[in-house]
Amino acid sequence: MHVPDGFIDAPVSVAAGVFAVGAVAVSLRGARRELDERTAPLAGLVAAFIFAVQMLNFPVAAGTSGHLMGGALAAILVGPYTAVLCLSVVLLLQGIFFADGGLTALGVNITVMGVVTVVVAYGVFRLLTGLLPRSRRSATASAFVAALVSVPASAAAFTLLYWIGGTTDIPIGKVFTAMVGVHVLIGIGEAVITALTVGAVLAVRPDLVHGVQGSLAAPLKLRVDGELVDAPAATRDPEPAPAQRSTRGFWITGLVSAFLLAGFVSFYASANPDGLERVAADQGFDEKVEEHGAADSPLADYGVGDIENARLSGGLAGVIGVSATVVVGTGVFWVVRRRKEEPGQAPRDRENA
């Protein structure tokens, strides 16, 4: 649901841009509490994985396709603040280098695809995991529902912005019904991808899933005089320190998967227009699309210029995109993590002086 230039007028686009900048600023501060030496590289990997999977449009209805937005997946794996940064990095690179999502609409896209999906999904996920039994199965089911709800919520957010600043005069009720209706179907695909990915990570490295940290392991119980009570801390088996478990193998596996998805599987993605494109065509506001400012990019439309073979061109563009995303994303999150450490270094230096 990448919003192109021309759908939303300049005042609302600017306002959405200001809101997006504020959300990113807040997320930069909040991410310092979520990132450490293990999760900073993981966050870069999550951004690259989302970039790759967004290339895999899947059919949802006659002549319509959808793709992962990734807000729910990122929020559950690395935390809501870091998730907003992940989506912002992906959308920025897609807009500048791949001509996907308008440049003047970047603030709209970050707001709709990044902030809204993350906030809604993480809120639903935390609510459900608080109500359901603490288990991997419950966490996976909660991820499914959270992802499913986040997509039509994003569509509703776009409809609100279009109601305020749309560049055509059409009944907003029709836009809302069409957008939410098709994105409920897309949300099912999003939910399946999110649940499968979260479930896979929970199966091998539950300690790396931010959304369930400290909630899967139920406290040890002892029976005293016929009643179950919490065991004293000294009798519980100490959990291994997270830092003692290397993430290198997990990171390499995830990166290879992203390369395969973007470089090979993406060739078989549906060529049908996505939900927003289809609604715009049906409702008649697709004519307002403006030429993308990066239309002359050598990677525009996820292909490498001067390479005639479509499979090779698209695959190479996907590999370049994943590489750029993991480098930029990891760099951003590493800097954020370093800034987290700086305030704590001064007291230690003074103690050592």
Side-chain angles (χ1 to χ4, degrees):
M1 195 176 64
H2 294 74
V3 181
D5 295 324
F7 278 11
I8 307 295
D9 63 22
V12 175
S13 294
V14 170
V18 172
F19 176 83
V21 169
V24 170
V26 171
S27 297
L28 284 169
R29 295 181 62 87
R32 297 177 191 174
R33 299 191 297 270
E34 296 172 346
L35 294 171
D36 55 32
E37 63 182 8
R38 298 178 309 135
T39 55
L42 177 62
L45 174 62
V46 169
F49 186 80
I50 289 174
F51 179 96
V53 181
Q54 283 194 358
M55 295 181 65
L56 309 180
N57 280 47
F58 48 84
V60 295
T64 307
S65 69
H67 63 72
L68 181 83
M69 291 190 188
L73 178 62
I76 294 167
L77 290 181
V78 294
Y81 294 108
T82 306
V84 171
L85 300 181
C86 283
L87 269 295
S88 298
V89 168
V90 171
L91 291 168
L92 180 64
L93 293 177
Q94 288 174 333
I96 293 176
F97 297 107
F98 296 89
D100 192 8
L103 296 180
T104 62
L106 181 60
V108 173
N109 283 315
I110 290 176
T111 298
V112 171
M113 294 181 63
V115 178
V116 171
T117 58
V118 167
V119 171
V120 171
Y122 196 70
V124 172
F125 180 80
R126 295 295 293 181
L127 174 64
L128 292 177
T129 52
L131 296 175
L132 297 174
R134 293 184 293 182
S135 68
R136 294 177 183 175
R137 181 174 298 178
S138 296
T140 303
S142 299
F144 181 95
V145 176
L148 174 61
V149 174
S150 70
V151 176
S154 178
F158 167 79
T159 305
L160 175 62
L161 292 179
Y162 197 83
W163 178 52
I164 299 172
T167 52
T168 56
D169 185 16
I170 59 176
I172 199 63
K174 291 183 177 181
V175 177
F176 177 82
T177 301
M179 283 294 293
V180 173
V182 71
H183 282 88
V184 167
L185 299 177
I186 295 173
I188 296 173
E190 175 110 6
V192 170
I193 295 171
T194 301
L196 288 175
T197 305
V198 171
V201 178
L202 284 173
V204 295
R205 290 298 301 268
D207 59 302
L208 296 180
V209 181
H210 179 278
V212 299
Q213 287 181 357
S215 65
L216 286 185
L220 182 64
K221 298 286 187 178
L222 294 178
R223 185 174 296 278
V224 179
D225 296 330
E227 296 183 0
L228 291 176
V229 298
D230 289 341
T235 66
R236 302 176 187 175
D237 294 331
E239 297 183 357
Q244 294 178 354
R245 300 188 63 185
S246 173
T247 61
R248 180 177 301 175
F250 180 87
W251 191 89
I252 292 174
T253 301
L255 186 60
V256 170
S257 299
F259 279 133
L260 289 175
L261 291 172
F264 177 73
V265 181
S266 63
F267 181 78
Y268 301 97
S270 172
N272 292 329
D274 68 17
L276 175 58
E277 293 171 335
R278 185 55 184 262
V279 171
D282 291 344
Q283 300 300 322
F285 60 89
D286 58 331
E287 297 178 356
K288 292 293 184 177
V289 175
E290 299 176 358
E291 184 178 6
H292 200 285
D296 295 331
S297 168
L299 296 172
D301 298 324
Y302 297 95
V304 177
D306 300 328
I307 296 182
E308 296 182 359
N309 185 292
R311 185 190 298 266
L312 178 60
S313 176
L316 184 57
V319 170
I320 293 172
V322 168
S323 301
T325 305
V326 76
V327 169
V328 173
T330 303
V332 169
F333 299 126
W334 194 264
V335 169
V336 172
R337 171 185 169 269
R338 295 289 295 178
R339 288 177 63 86
K340 170 185 176 181
E341 292 182 345
E342 288 175 1
Q345 290 176 351
R348 290 196 296 268
D349 292 341
R350 287 195 296 268
E351 290 175 3
N352 294 332

